[in-house]
């Protein structure tokens, strides 16, 4: 009898295990690119952060409506004009079982501010990070910083002990091609764990059964596969090989919606696509102009601006799925002013005259760097810009390449003319001013000002904007800084692109305007 009972229990347990395995929900994602590393401090790029945000967590997080919510900190407050105190969540475990404490916070902020980090612009105004006790930390800033909690939402916390044991105390430096254990392995506190990493092939994630918080969706496994070719990506969705693709080629939206198997989720994105120019070197790295730098002359920068047919790009390249912009931030970003969002007119003849007045009546040659698998139709945008500039006598030598080689190149400032997209991680204009427009220094200010635009008045206003708590005064200073930058033609803003995700009919997920794709909101019916 005892043997029969044991056998019966074993059979029931086996059946339950089989049922559990069968019911384990899996979502397969096909993206045009891959996260370049699992290191949360190695690249300040939305796709990278979207992926690692499922594994790692910040002190202050965001919900599906982009509102600030407690994450690894349960509460925060200012205890002095330049001091913020954060109460940490107790009982949180890293994926390897190690307890989360203040030591991990101090280590992570120091790492994010260190050599090789791509997150310095989030920490460049820190003066000190102090441990009060195991579950309380203080951050002292160089000046009052009322939006500090917003800034921290993308600075992810690593386990100090794990990083030390795995020789990963310094970030993976994409500029130098340096790798370490954090490139391929991960140990966070987030709702999903890294199961397997095959760069540029497939990355697998599994639900964290010991997660401290609520996981709203029912997905257990996520398989993330880079599929660079547009047609192949769409075919994979329509054939059922993947459940989600991003982005959907704009020419395929109607076909996917008519398939009966999948639909296209479309919505606005906070990202601004723009062009940058090397304004620092006395001679461009990639140009036939020797002994001087044409981009130091505002007339040349304006000529490039007015030579670009942005409405034509919107119509033919983006198929209407973009909003031309005159600013480096778009609607939905705090400080955006629609009254300022008026572009200079498209005018090739005016552009030719500006070039002639600047001493280039026959134009010149310049190299242009562009990714072809990061933003919506990025390679085609650059081809259209090159064709526009050719009409005013500028020969563009376009180098379009995968973001895996593109980002390390331009982040070293090994470029003369480049395309980039930017979503302010704080959803505030200060972020764009601090990261894209401030004069470059070693603290991390202007870290993504890759053309080294510099106007001391913009720097002065950016510092004041950081500390100002009166909203009307702050908004007025933002407008002033934006006007100076626009008048300088500091960059060439193009448009805000729209999100387009292809999703199988049995999958539910949250499409968020920052283009993050949190696995915790995914469900399979």
């Amino acid at each position: 009898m005892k043997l029969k009972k044991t056998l019966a229990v074993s059979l029931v347990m086996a059946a339950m295990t089989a049922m559990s395995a069968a019911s384990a929900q899996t979502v397969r994602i096909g993206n045009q690119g891959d996260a370049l590393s699992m290191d949360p401090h190695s690249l300040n790029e939305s796709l990278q952060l979207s992926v690692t945000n499922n594994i790692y967590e910040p002190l202050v997080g965001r919900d599906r409506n982009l509102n600030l919510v407690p994450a690894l900190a349960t509460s925060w407050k200012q205890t002095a004009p330049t001091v913020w105190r954060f109460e940490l969540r107790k009982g949180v475990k890293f994926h390897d079982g190690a307890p989360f404490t203040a030591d991990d916070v101090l280590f992570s902020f120091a790492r994010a501010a260190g050599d090789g980090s791509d997150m310095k612009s989030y920490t460049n105004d820190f003066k000190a990070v102090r441990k009060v006790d195991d579950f309380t930390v203080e951050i002292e800033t160089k000046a009052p910083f009322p939006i500090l909690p917003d800034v921290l939402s993308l600075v992810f916390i690593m386990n100090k002990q794990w990083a030390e044991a795995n020789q990963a105390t310094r970030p993976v430096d994409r500029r130098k091609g340096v790798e370490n254990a954090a490139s391929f392995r991960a140990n966070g506190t987030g709702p999903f764990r890294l199961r397997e990493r095959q760069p540029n092939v497939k990355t697998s994630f599994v639900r964290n059964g010991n997660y401290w918080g609520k996981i709203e969706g029912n997905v257990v496994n996520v398989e993330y596969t880079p599929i660079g070719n547009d047609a192949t990506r769409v075919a994979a969705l329509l054939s059922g090989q993947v459940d989600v693709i991003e982005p959907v080629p704009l020419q395929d939206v109607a076909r996917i919606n008519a398939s009966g198997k999948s639909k296209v989720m479309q919505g606005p994105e906070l990202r601004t696509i723009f062009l940058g120019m090397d304004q620092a070197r006395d001679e461009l790295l990639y140009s036939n102009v020797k002994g001087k730098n044409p981009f130091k002359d505002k007339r040349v920068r304006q000529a490039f601006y007015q030579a670009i047919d942005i409405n034509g790009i919107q119509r033919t390249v983006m198929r209407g799925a973009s909003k031309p912009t005159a600013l480096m931030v778009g609607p939905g970003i705090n400080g955006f002013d629609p009254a300022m969002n008026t572009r200079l007119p498209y005018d090739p003849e005016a552009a030719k005259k500006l070039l002639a007045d600047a001493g280039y009546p026959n134009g010149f040659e310049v190299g242009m760097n562009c990714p072809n698998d990061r933003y919506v139709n990025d390679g085609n945008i650059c081809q259209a810009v090159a064709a526009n500039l050719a009409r005013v006598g500028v020969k563009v030598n376009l180098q379009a390449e995968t973001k895996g080689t593109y980002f390390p190149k331009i982040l070293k400032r090994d470029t003369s003319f480049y395309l980039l997209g930017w979503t302010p991680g704080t959803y505030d204009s200060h972020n764009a001013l601090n990261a894209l427009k401030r004069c470059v220094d070693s603290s991390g200010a202007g870290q993504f000002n890759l053309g080294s635009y510099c106007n001391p008045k913009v720097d002065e206003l950016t510092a004041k904007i950081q500390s100002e708590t009166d909203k009307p005064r702050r908004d007025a200073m933002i407008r002033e800084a934006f006007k100076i930058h626009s008048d300088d033609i500091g960059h060439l803003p193009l448009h805000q692109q729209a999100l387009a995700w292809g999703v199988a009919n049995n999958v539910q997920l949250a499409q968020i305007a920052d283009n993050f794709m949190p696995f915790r909101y995914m469900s399979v019916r």
Side-chain angles (χ1 to χ4, degrees):
M1 288 293 294
K2 186 175 181 180
L3 180 61
K4 288 183 178 180
K5 185 176 180 180
T6 303
L7 180 60
V9 170
S10 299
L11 289 171
V12 170
M13 291 294 291
M16 289 178 65
T17 301
M19 288 174 63
S20 176
S23 63
Q25 305 294 352
T26 298
V27 166
R28 300 157 299 170
I29 301 171
N31 196 291
Q32 71 174 351
D34 195 11
L36 298 186
S37 173
M38 293 295 102
D39 189 322
H41 305 143
S42 68
L43 186 63
N44 185 16
E45 184 244 347
S46 295
L47 177 60
Q48 173 93 7
L49 296 172
S50 173
V51 171
T52 55
N53 187 44
N54 293 291
I55 305 169
Y56 292 99
E57 295 179 289
L59 295 186
V60 183
R62 293 190 183 272
D63 62 17
R64 63 171 71 208
N65 298 313
L66 297 178
N67 298 313
L68 288 181
V69 293
L72 292 180
T74 56
S75 64
W76 49 90
K77 64 180 180 180
Q78 278 187 279
T79 58
T82 60
V83 178
W84 283 82
R85 176 170 288 198
F86 294 82
E87 301 297 333
L88 305 183
R89 192 177 297 277
K90 296 178 181 177
V92 175
K93 301 287 187 182
F94 285 93
H95 294 159
D96 67 353
F100 159 69
T101 70
D103 292 332
D104 302 306
V105 176
L106 267 63
F107 166 78
S108 297
F109 283 137
R111 189 179 190 273
D115 289 344
S117 170
D118 215 33
M119 306 303 289
K120 286 184 179 181
S121 63
Y122 294 89
T123 61
N124 64 282
D125 286 301
F126 287 13
K127 183 177 180 180
V129 183
R130 295 186 289 267
K131 174 181 175 180
V132 178
D133 58 42
D134 280 348
F135 294 98
T136 310
V137 297
E138 287 184 343
I139 299 177
E140 182 178 357
T141 55
K142 298 171 185 175
F145 206 162
I147 63 167
L148 179 64
D150 298 83
V151 171
L152 297 183
S153 64
L154 290 178
V155 183
F156 299 145
I157 305 302
M158 298 181 71
N159 178 237
K160 178 176 185 284
Q161 184 178 3
W162 181 89
E164 290 174 343
N166 288 277
Q167 292 79 49
T169 55
R170 292 186 177 184
V172 172
D173 192 340
R174 299 303 309 176
R175 296 162 182 80
K176 298 178 181 177
V178 175
E179 305 283 8
N180 62 37
S183 301
F184 311 105
R185 288 181 277 156
N187 182 35
T189 60
F192 280 77
R193 305 163 61 123
L194 178 66
R195 183 169 59 193
E196 183 182 14
R197 169 69 172 165
Q198 299 180 53
N200 298 314
V201 178
K202 185 172 73 172
T203 304
S204 301
F205 307 84
V206 63
R207 189 184 183 106
N208 177 12
N210 296 317
Y211 184 56
W212 60 265
K214 180 182 179 182
I215 301 177
E216 296 182 21
N218 67 7
V219 168
V220 175
N221 302 299
V222 175
E223 296 178 359
Y224 183 100
T225 303
I227 307 175
N229 182 272
D230 286 349
T232 304
R233 194 164 62 252
V234 172
L237 176 68
L238 295 178
S239 66
Q241 294 177 30
V242 299
D243 306 296
V244 179
I245 65 169
E246 195 266 328
V248 171
L250 299 175
Q251 65 271 19
D252 291 310
V253 169
R255 182 158 70 102
I256 291 173
N257 282 332
S259 69
K261 301 177 181 178
S262 305
K263 58 186 176 296
V264 178
M265 295 178 66
Q266 291 182 286
E269 187 181 6
L270 298 175
R271 187 190 319 277
T272 297
I273 306 297
F274 63 90
L275 299 169
M277 305 151 286
D278 179 357
Q279 299 167 55
R281 291 183 174 91
D282 291 329
E283 180 180 297
L284 292 176
L285 293 176
Y286 304 102
S287 174
N288 67 341
V289 178
K290 302 303 176 185
K292 60 180 179 177
N293 179 347
F295 289 137
K296 284 180 177 284
D297 192 322
K298 175 187 169 180
R299 292 170 295 185
V300 172
R301 302 196 297 272
Q302 184 171 335
F304 273 48
Y305 189 132
Q306 294 197 255
I308 296 171
D309 181 6
I310 195 63
N311 291 324
I313 291 173
Q314 180 195 39
R315 184 175 61 255
T316 61
V317 178
M318 300 302 292
R319 294 177 181 249
S322 65
K323 289 186 177 180
T325 185
L327 298 174
M328 297 286 281
V329 301
I333 300 299
N334 186 42
F336 172 79
D337 184 353
M340 297 185 69
N341 198 27
T342 302
R343 290 179 60 87
L344 292 174
Y346 166 57
D347 191 336
E349 293 307 314
K352 290 178 183 178
K353 184 177 187 307
L354 285 163
L355 286 171
D357 291 346
Y360 306 98
N362 300 314
F364 57 90
E365 291 185 27
V366 65
M368 181 182 188
N369 297 101
C370 185
N372 57 18
D373 59 0
R374 178 59 196 99
Y375 312 114
V376 177
N377 287 348
D378 42 14
N380 292 334
I381 292 169
C382 290
Q383 289 175 6
V385 168
N388 288 165
L389 291 171
R391 295 190 187 106
V392 300
V394 175
K395 181 182 178 183
V396 172
N397 299 312
L398 177 60
Q399 181 179 345
E401 58 192 308
T402 175
K403 73 189 189 77
T405 54
Y406 174 75
F407 280 119
K409 180 179 179 65
I410 67 163
L411 290 174
K412 289 189 295 186
R413 292 179 166 78
D414 183 16
T415 183
S416 297
F417 185 38
Y418 62 92
L419 179 137
L420 195 64
W422 191 262
T423 303
T426 59
Y427 314 109
D428 185 274
S429 294
H430 173 268
N431 173 271
L433 287 164
N434 181 56
L436 301 176
K437 302 179 186 180
R438 278 181 68 170
C439 302
V440 180
D441 66 33
S442 59
S443 74
Q447 187 175 12
F448 298 91
N449 180 4
L450 305 179
S452 299
Y453 162 79
C454 185
N455 187 314
K457 182 62 177 176
V458 172
D459 279 21
E460 178 187 334
L461 285 164
T462 301
K464 290 179 179 178
I465 289 163
Q466 174 183 302
S467 302
E468 184 56 64
T469 57
D470 181 86
K471 181 169 172 47
R473 268 203 304 268
R474 189 174 191 270
D475 287 347
M477 288 190 288
I478 290 172
R479 286 194 296 272
E480 184 180 356
F482 281 1
K483 186 176 188 309
I484 293 169
H485 176 266
S486 294
D487 290 346
D488 286 342
I489 318 288
H491 294 79
L492 308 180
L494 297 177
H495 58 237
Q496 280 90 39
Q497 64 184 29
L499 294 174
W501 298 355
V503 183
N505 288 339
N506 67 326
V507 173
Q508 292 180 321
L509 47 72
Q511 187 177 68
I512 304 174
D514 62 359
N515 202 19
F516 277 33
M517 192 181 286
F519 303 159
R520 65 188 299 171
Y521 299 137
M522 292 182 176
S523 290
V524 179
R525 297 192 299 271

